[in-house]
Amino acid sequence: MKRKSIKKRLLCLALGLQLLLLSGCSFYGYYITPDGTIIIPMAGEGVTDGAGEALAEEAAAEEEPEEVPEEEPEEAPEAETEEVAEEEAADEEPPEMPDLPALKVSNEVKVLEKGLSITEFRGDYGFDSFIAQGGAASDKDLVRFLAKTLMPGIGEFLLKMNGFGCSTISAADKSGSYRFGRNFDWKECEQLILLSYPKTGYRSISTVNMDFINEAVGNFSLSEQVKKMAALYIPLDGMNEKGLCVAVNMIEDDTVIDQNTKKPDITTTTAIRLLLDKAADTDEAVKLLKSYDMHASFGYIFHLAIADAKGKAVAVEYVNNEMVVTETPILTNFYVTPGKKYGIGSKQSHVRFDTLSEQLSKSETMNGTQMKEALESVSKHNYPGTGSTEWSVIYDQKKGKASYYHRENFEKVYTVGFEK
């Protein structure tokens, strides 16, 4: 019972006694009930000693405050605390890649390191003439055009290529700017980074496997200028000044891509050159491809990964010679078109696809460092077998720059950009 209540009772008792004295009444004792009522027996109605003591004890017991034990704060289990800390650390975005100045590029072929070179081409390389004369329905047709217009005197040759495995990913950073990342998995080869400044068409940065030309021409001695012009027709990935990115990935399948609908003809690599030169975004790229009959280069089934600066990323596949477009930010080496073909491709390509999907699902955004880490997580050294990831490239679609990593050395970067 609180002190305020006790004072109240004492005050009531004093008042009661005073009234009794004024009234001339006599009494033998009094007691206070638990609810605070004062009871004063009149003469002859006294309370027995035992009852009085019991009531007094009851009142005393009621007045004693109950002791409430203090609650000790609960401590989180040590393992749970560590787990939360690890999750918070994982959620922290790593620092952005530094915005390095672009390499100085000239008309001469510059060797950056063994197996990696860079150059530029300015002027007319005959691509508009190639399209105007109907394109090419095969590699042989392409070589015939190149031999006639670019390499007179060497005769015909056959472009050669073994199958390769690749991975691509499109993602935005926190500012809303998009990047397009690509791994090219193959055996060791001569890689050429080629900047194009055409008379008509968009400027572009593209990557070429020069072994396709070197092995094809054999003992023929070609000038660097001729090689560069030929290389413009066989890019495997690239980005133009509008931020449109394109890459070709192979699919392990025993069918062919050989459309014949009386449209102009185009091959896999010349389709990439067409899109880099003429398309500003994904919708324009898809529209352009629909206006041509596609014929697979080197006899391999493939699909194209296309992504623009606004983030629209698609896979273009040819299923039973029908062009199908599927939106996806990730592409490896199996069909993504829903239906009977879905999933056909190498087992490892499914693993790489799942790994990249997991990387992308960790955050709604991905900066340059995170994209580099994503590409490294699916590079060739993570899987058994021969070959290597010959190049990894991250195209910054807003800044118009490309960051190249050669043969899985992700500590050394070569930055390439358009001349201002």
Side-chain angles (χ1 to χ4, degrees):
M1 189 179 295
K2 298 181 178 179
R3 291 182 179 178
K4 186 176 181 182
S5 178
I6 294 172
K7 289 181 179 179
K8 182 180 179 182
R9 291 185 183 188
L10 292 174
L11 181 61
C12 291
L13 175 60
L15 181 60
L17 290 173
Q18 188 176 7
L19 289 172
L20 284 171
L21 291 172
L22 290 173
S23 64
C25 297
S26 61
F27 62 94
Y28 293 94
Y30 73 93
Y31 65 91
I32 304 172
T33 63
D35 63 355
T37 304
I38 301 174
I39 298 177
I40 305 175
M42 302 308 292
E45 297 178 346
V47 182
T48 62
D49 292 341
E53 291 175 1
L55 288 171
E57 289 175 0
E58 182 181 345
E62 188 176 340
E63 290 177 2
E64 291 181 1
E66 295 183 2
E67 293 185 2
V68 180
E70 294 183 3
E71 294 184 2
E72 295 183 1
E74 294 184 4
E75 294 184 2
E78 186 175 344
E80 184 178 338
T81 304
E82 292 177 356
E83 184 178 342
V84 170
E86 289 176 0
E87 289 179 358
E88 291 177 351
D91 290 339
E92 292 181 3
E93 187 177 82
E96 179 59 274
M97 293 193 307
D99 188 11
L100 301 174
L103 295 171
K104 291 184 178 180
V105 185
S106 69
N107 187 50
E108 296 181 358
V109 177
K110 180 180 180 180
V111 178
L112 299 176
E113 61 179 80
K114 183 180 179 182
L116 176 63
S117 301
I118 189 169
T119 190
E120 67 177 24
F121 187 94
R122 296 174 182 267
D124 181 15
Y125 43 85
F127 193 75
D128 288 340
S129 298
F130 169 74
I131 294 298
Q133 57 94 41
S138 66
D139 294 331
K140 185 173 287 188
D141 286 348
L142 172 59
V143 168
R144 189 176 291 121
F145 172 82
L146 294 175
K148 180 180 179 181
T149 59
L150 306 179
M151 312 171 189
I154 70 168
E156 293 185 11
F157 56 90
L158 180 64
L159 293 173
K160 297 180 180 180
M161 183 186 71
N162 295 322
F164 53 83
C166 303
S167 306
T168 63
I169 181 171
S170 172
D173 61 22
K174 287 186 176 180
S175 71
S177 301
Y178 280 84
R179 290 180 175 85
F180 181 83
R182 189 283 213 281
N183 278 354
F184 178 77
D185 303 333
W186 207 54
K187 63 180 183 178
E188 285 195 4
C189 65
E190 291 293 322
Q191 170 194 346
L192 179 67
I193 301 170
L194 180 56
L195 282 80
S196 168
Y197 297 86
K199 283 187 176 180
T200 59
Y202 299 123
R203 299 174 297 171
S204 66
I205 303 168
S206 61
T207 327
V208 183
N209 182 346
M210 292 302 291
D211 283 6
F212 297 172
I213 296 176
N214 295 334
E215 293 180 7
V217 299
N219 295 325
F220 288 107
S221 178
L222 301 179
S223 68
E224 294 296 342
Q225 190 74 355
V226 170
K227 282 186 179 181
K228 283 194 297 183
M229 293 184 72
L232 287 161
Y233 288 77
I234 56 171
L236 298 179
D237 58 63
M239 174 183 70
N240 67 20
E241 64 182 285
K242 294 295 184 179
L244 180 78
C245 293
V246 190
V248 58
N249 292 1
M250 307 301 291
I251 301 176
E252 290 184 10
D253 195 11
D254 55 5
T255 59
V256 296
I257 301 174
D258 191 25
Q259 293 183 312
N260 291 286
T261 63
K262 297 183 179 180
K263 297 176 184 176
D265 297 304
I266 203 163
T267 60
T268 309
T269 60
T270 53
I272 296 175
R273 174 50 57 196
L274 173 72
L275 301 185
L276 292 177
D277 282 11
K278 307 298 183 182
D281 56 34
T282 299
D283 290 338
E284 286 187 14
V286 170
K287 185 178 180 180
L288 266 175
L289 290 175
K290 287 180 177 178
S291 63
Y292 288 85
D293 278 341
M294 178 64 72
H295 306 275
S297 295
F298 316 109
Y300 280 95
I301 303 301
F302 70 92
H303 47 194
L304 295 173
I306 303 173
D308 61 26
K310 295 180 180 179
K312 186 170 184 178
V314 303
V316 174
E317 299 180 328
Y318 293 83
V319 180
N320 300 322
N321 280 323
E322 292 291 331
M323 179 178 156
V324 184
V325 180
T326 305
E327 289 198 23
T328 175
I330 298 170
L331 199 63
T332 54
N333 305 102
F334 65 86
Y335 286 101
V336 295
T337 298
K340 293 182 179 179
K341 285 286 188 179
Y342 180 84
I344 292 178
S346 67
K347 291 182 179 179
Q348 187 194 100
S349 68
H350 284 267
V351 177
R352 285 184 275 114
F353 187 95
D354 291 343
T355 301
L356 289 177
S357 297
E358 182 181 352
Q359 295 280 339
L360 196 56
S361 68
K362 289 179 179 179
S363 174
E364 294 181 356
T365 59
M366 181 179 283
N367 67 18
T369 301
Q370 290 169 308
M371 183 165 281
K372 181 182 74 168
E373 291 171 351
L375 292 177
E376 186 174 7
S377 72
V378 293
S379 61
K380 200 67 175 175
H381 76 268
N382 294 287
Y383 310 98
T386 58
S388 68
T389 297
E390 281 298 283
W391 70 80
S392 300
V393 58
I394 299 173
Y395 293 108
D396 189 321
Q397 293 162 275
K398 180 179 180 180
K399 295 179 180 178
K401 286 186 175 181
S403 300
Y404 280 92
Y405 304 90
H406 189 231
R407 292 180 183 165
E408 305 187 52
N409 181 1
F410 288 92
E411 300 301 319
K412 187 173 185 179
V413 60
Y414 297 96
T415 304
V416 182
F418 300 114
E419 184 179 84
K420 295 182 180 179

